[in-house]
Amino acid sequence: MGSVGAKEVPVLLSPEGIRVDGRRLDELRPLRVVAGPLHRADGSAFVEWGANKVMAAVYGPREVHPRHLQQNNKAIVQCKYNMAAFSVDERKRPGLDRRSQEISKVIAEAFESVIFAEEYPRTSIDVYIEVLQANAGTRCAGLVAASVALADAGIPMADLVPAVAVGKVAGEIVLDLNKAEDNFGEADLPMALVPQSGRLVLLQMEGHMTREELSRALDMGVKGCHVIYDKMKAALRDRYSAARPTEVAA
Ligand code: ADP
């Protein structure tokens, strides 16, 4: 342990290049994607990604609320990202805060660019993301879950939208930051990719890195997104090839 001011800073990288949780620099946390676990929603997905647990539910296309948001030529995409009070170490104050509003907005915008919204004028496609347990990277986990939930709801889209955060930790570019790396690393850069077109539909950065590092980080993130993409597609295949999960819809 080193220390900066009052904060204890853990050793984030071993001399052999192994991270606090035993991963290599370009290794993702274990990721499990389940399509269609909820029966009341039009589409749903559950994502367990490292210590993150995120549920997404999709409703629509349906009537727009509030009505004045309705658009005559296309569907609108509305997103609500919420962190449960019990999702973090110290109880989070429930309800809408600025961070949740910002994340909801950037996720809705990412989906607006892939959903064929013109097919459903005057309707709303509503995406709910509930973070049940958080350990950094929840906006990316939320995007992955919501993307699979949208596909599960049968919403026509150009592609799924895998997402991952890349960053800089102890001077090295790393894939998929965990909480310690997010807290004590030098940079955190969540990104979302449309694999078939190669377009990035979300890119944010906190911290600092050089242009050369940024370029390597983007390459690493794109590779990571392709691995995540395959898991998302596999979850949808499982959903429609196997019988529904054991619970019976009431
Ligand atoms: P992301 O979850 O997309 O990485 P942030 O970088 O804002 O978003 O947050 C990093 C992590 O910090 C979250 O995943 C969560 O573990 C933690 N965190 C965020 N907001 C809070 C909060 N209000 N209270 C406690 N922990 C939080």
Side-chain angles (χ1 to χ4, degrees):
M1 291 269 192
S3 72
V4 173
K7 269 190 191 166
E8 285 295 312
V9 180
V11 176
L12 292 173
L13 207 59
S14 78
E16 295 77 31
I18 299 299
R19 295 156 66 180
V20 270
D21 53 12
R23 283 182 292 156
R24 296 184 309 272
L25 301 178
D26 62 350
E27 198 175 339
L28 289 167
R29 289 175 286 184
L31 171 62
R32 188 167 76 95
V33 184
V34 179
L38 303 177
H39 300 299
R40 305 254 187 264
D42 294 325
S44 61
F46 179 65
V47 163
E48 199 170 352
W49 188 346
N52 290 315
K53 292 188 178 153
V54 178
M55 185 68 86
V58 166
Y59 291 87
R62 68 179 179 183
E63 214 173 298
V64 180
H65 290 292
R67 197 63 186 272
H68 70 266
L69 295 176
Q70 181 174 300
Q71 299 215 2
N72 284 332
N73 57 344
K74 60 174 190 172
I76 59 165
V77 180
Q78 304 195 87
C79 176
K80 264 207 187 103
Y81 162 105
N82 181 55
M83 272 177 113
F86 51 78
S87 65
V88 289
D89 287 342
E90 302 220 347
R91 178 180 177 276
K92 184 201 163 277
R93 262 188 80 193
L96 259 192
D97 50 32
R98 282 190 55 182
R99 177 179 171 276
S100 306
Q101 279 176 300
E102 176 234 310
I103 294 178
S104 301
K105 181 169 180 288
V106 294
I107 292 179
E109 284 169 359
F111 286 127
E112 272 165 14
S113 68
V114 290
I115 291 176
F116 297 133
E118 322 72 50
E119 294 187 17
Y120 301 101
R122 292 178 295 282
T123 67
S124 176
I125 294 165
D126 300 330
V127 177
Y128 296 89
I129 296 170
E130 294 291 330
V131 178
L132 307 175
Q133 192 169 285
N135 192 259
T138 60
R139 76 195 63 203
C140 296
L143 258 155
V144 168
S147 198
V148 173
L150 282 161
D152 183 45
I155 306 290
M157 293 185 290
D159 205 354
L160 296 167
V161 185
V164 72
V166 278
K168 187 173 167 186
V169 167
E172 297 288 344
I173 299 303
V174 301
L175 183 65
D176 187 17
L177 280 71
N178 63 29
K179 185 76 166 70
E181 295 172 331
D182 181 298
N183 281 3
F184 300 109
E186 292 98 272
D188 172 27
L189 195 152
M191 58 189 275
L193 177 76
V194 181
Q196 285 181 36
S197 65
R199 270 185 310 133
L200 294 176
V201 289
L202 179 144
L203 186 63
Q204 302 179 292
M205 186 166 112
E206 261 180 68
H208 53 88
M209 57 172 79
T210 65
R211 272 176 63 175
E212 187 272 328
E213 287 168 338
L214 175 62
S215 165
R216 279 196 288 130
L218 289 174
D219 286 345
M220 189 182 266
V222 167
K223 268 194 198 152
C225 280
H226 279 278
V227 175
I228 295 159
Y229 186 47
D230 287 342
K231 297 215 173 193
M232 294 162 80
K233 287 189 289 186
L236 286 161
R237 267 199 306 274
D238 285 355
R239 163 86 165 92
Y240 291 102
S241 58
R244 279 179 85 100
T246 42
E247 318 98 90
V248 176

